[in-house]
């Protein structure tokens, strides 16, 4: 017999892995560990956005934030921001350590390193003079 197979969860977990790796340089293994706070927050935020789009009374910020759904939205966004902030801190430490060692653009065999989008933002932030951590988080989120 032919059975239906829902590929949506597999594709979305794979996409989340790819996006996090590309944007933040962080491997979250959403395909294998799909029950983390961050993965649940990403899923729930998408559901809330979809629900809000279908409910005209939730389109106005003031009304939305007064509802239980608005409170839940703030909670999941906070979870996602905490994760991103921790990754930014982790990557900044990585770059500081990298500067202490040899050249940041080549490894020991001369192959150019590939940096994630977050790494490029950190490098160009000039220690917060150009981009603050909040600015960087907004770009990566």
């Amino acid at each position: 017999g032919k059975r239906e197979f829902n590929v949506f969860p597999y594709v979305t977990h794979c996409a989340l892995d790819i996006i996090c790796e590309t944007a933040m340089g962080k491997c979250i293994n959403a395909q294998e560990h799909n029950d983390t706070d961050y993965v649940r927050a990403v899923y729930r935020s998408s559901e809330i956005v979809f629900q809000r789009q279908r409910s005209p009374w939730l389109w106005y910020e003031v009304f939305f934030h007064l509802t239980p759904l608005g409170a839940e939205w703030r909670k999941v966004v906070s979870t996602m921001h905490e994760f991103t902030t921790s990754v930014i801190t982790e990557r900044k430490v990585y770059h500081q350590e990298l500067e202490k060692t040899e050249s940041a653009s080549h490894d020991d065999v001369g192959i150019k390193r590939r940096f994630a989008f977050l790494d490029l933002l950190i490098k160009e932030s000039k220690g917060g003079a150009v981009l603050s951590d909040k600015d960087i988080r907004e770009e990566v989120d």
Side-chain angles (χ1 to χ4, degrees):
K2 294 181 181 180
R3 291 185 10 219
E4 289 183 9
F5 178 69
N6 184 6
V7 299
F8 183 76
Y10 299 100
V11 171
T12 53
H13 290 134
C14 179
L16 188 56
D17 277 343
I18 292 168
I19 291 167
C20 285
E21 183 74 31
T22 304
M24 295 188 269
K26 179 76 172 175
C27 181
I28 63 167
N29 285 323
Q31 295 174 78
E32 296 175 17
H33 308 288
N34 55 22
D35 198 35
T36 64
D37 289 341
Y38 181 71
V39 173
R40 282 193 307 271
V42 169
Y43 265 94
R44 187 61 187 137
S45 68
S46 297
E47 292 167 355
I48 291 171
V49 167
F50 182 65
Q51 185 174 351
R52 191 173 178 196
Q53 288 173 337
R54 294 178 296 140
S55 308
W57 57 91
L58 297 176
W59 293 353
Y60 299 100
E61 290 293 317
V62 174
F63 297 138
F64 175 67
H65 287 291
L66 292 173
T67 66
L69 195 62
E72 186 179 4
W73 170 255
R74 287 189 298 278
K75 182 179 176 189
V76 296
V77 167
S78 175
T79 299
M80 292 186 295
H81 284 256
E82 287 171 12
F83 175 79
T84 307
T85 299
S86 73
V87 173
I88 290 169
T89 302
E90 179 182 305
R91 297 305 288 178
K92 279 186 165 186
V93 168
Y94 168 77
H95 282 278
Q96 290 168 351
E97 294 298 318
L98 198 60
E99 286 176 8
K100 290 178 185 175
T101 61
E102 6 189 59
S103 170
S105 62
H106 292 82
D107 64 13
D108 34 349
V109 292
I111 299 171
K112 190 167 178 74
R113 293 179 195 249
R114 294 188 336 180
F115 289 110
F117 180 61
L118 172 61
D119 295 320
L120 299 174
L121 290 174
I122 289 170
K123 184 178 177 189
E124 295 304 317
S125 72
K126 310 282 189 232
V130 177
L131 292 171
S132 68
D133 285 359
K134 183 180 178 192
D135 295 331
I136 293 171
R137 189 192 71 219
E138 287 175 0
E139 291 299 324
V140 174
D141 279 348

